[in-house]
Amino acid sequence: MKTEIAYISLGSNYHNSEEMLARAALSLGALAGCMIAESSPIYHTEPQGLKDQPWFANQVLKLQLAGWPARDFLECILNIERRLGRVRGQGPRFGPRAIDMDLLLHGQAMINDSLCILPHPRMLERAFVLKPLLDIDPDIRIGAVAARDALGKLRWHQAGDRIYQTIET
């Protein structure tokens, strides 16, 4: 069975946000053919777009997947989100959420259809994705772009476990 390396970002800004990240990781680790190879530290990130909400807890996981095509795995993580209380399409875009799980990379897959876009289309714009991704894999490239170079072009800074960034929405 073919094994792929995948990266997924987790985010939550509910009162128990770090617990929500742990529950999401536990759900992923319980899947047949899915092993969590590495977990980044958890960072706390100021909200983007809608500023009047709690800060987010963010983390990136490196997964070893066996028998999980990208679209099937994406559907699976959307189901995990629903089980953990995420309701997509309600509330403001970039608003509060119990859990957000984004499939960033799935092997070398390059997909752009109505169900799945890989690599994740906005990951190179987000310090709260790139910083924890680089913690796990300092030499990772997204297509032809070194993640380190992409992070260096962003307007962001870090103070302890907090990430500050100005993103135009």
Side-chain angles (χ1 to χ4, degrees):
M1 186 176 305
K2 186 175 181 180
T3 301
E4 295 284 0
I5 298 296
Y7 294 87
I8 187 168
S9 66
L10 307 176
S12 173
N13 72 337
Y14 272 27
H15 67 282
N16 58 343
S17 59
E18 290 191 26
E19 178 185 326
M20 291 303 293
L21 300 186
R23 290 176 63 194
L26 188 62
S27 295
L28 289 166
L31 296 172
C34 180
M35 185 184 84
I36 298 174
E38 293 186 57
S39 303
S40 77
I42 294 173
Y43 291 95
H44 296 91
T45 307
E46 66 179 329
Q48 301 298 316
L50 181 64
K51 295 289 187 185
D52 189 19
Q53 62 179 317
W55 280 49
F56 283 83
N58 293 101
Q59 183 177 39
V60 171
L61 305 177
K62 179 180 183 179
L63 308 174
Q64 290 181 336
L65 299 176
W68 281 103
R71 288 178 185 89
D72 293 349
F73 190 67
L74 178 60
E75 184 60 37
C76 183
I77 66 174
L78 294 175
N79 286 332
I80 292 171
E81 279 187 340
R82 283 190 286 276
R83 284 198 316 269
L84 293 176
R86 172 84 188 264
V87 180
R88 287 186 177 261
Q90 284 189 345
R93 186 164 189 224
F94 304 120
R97 57 203 62 189
I99 191 71
D100 185 29
M101 301 172 70
D102 289 332
L103 182 57
L104 304 174
L105 299 164
H106 186 286
Q108 298 300 313
M110 297 191 73
I111 302 171
N112 189 354
D113 63 34
S114 62
L115 300 176
C116 183
I117 302 174
L118 287 173
H120 189 282
R122 291 172 299 284
M123 66 186 289
L124 294 176
E125 303 165 4
R126 297 175 169 173
F128 65 86
V129 171
L130 292 172
K131 174 60 176 128
L133 180 63
L134 286 162
D135 287 339
I136 292 172
D137 191 343
D139 299 318
I140 193 164
R141 299 182 70 81
I142 295 90
V145 179
R148 180 181 320 285
D149 294 344
L151 184 60
K153 293 178 183 176
L154 300 179
R155 290 180 40 210
W156 77 287
H157 69 279
Q158 180 180 348
D161 70 350
R162 292 186 173 254
I163 293 175
Y164 300 83
Q165 181 181 8
T166 302
I167 296 177
E168 303 300 322
T169 56

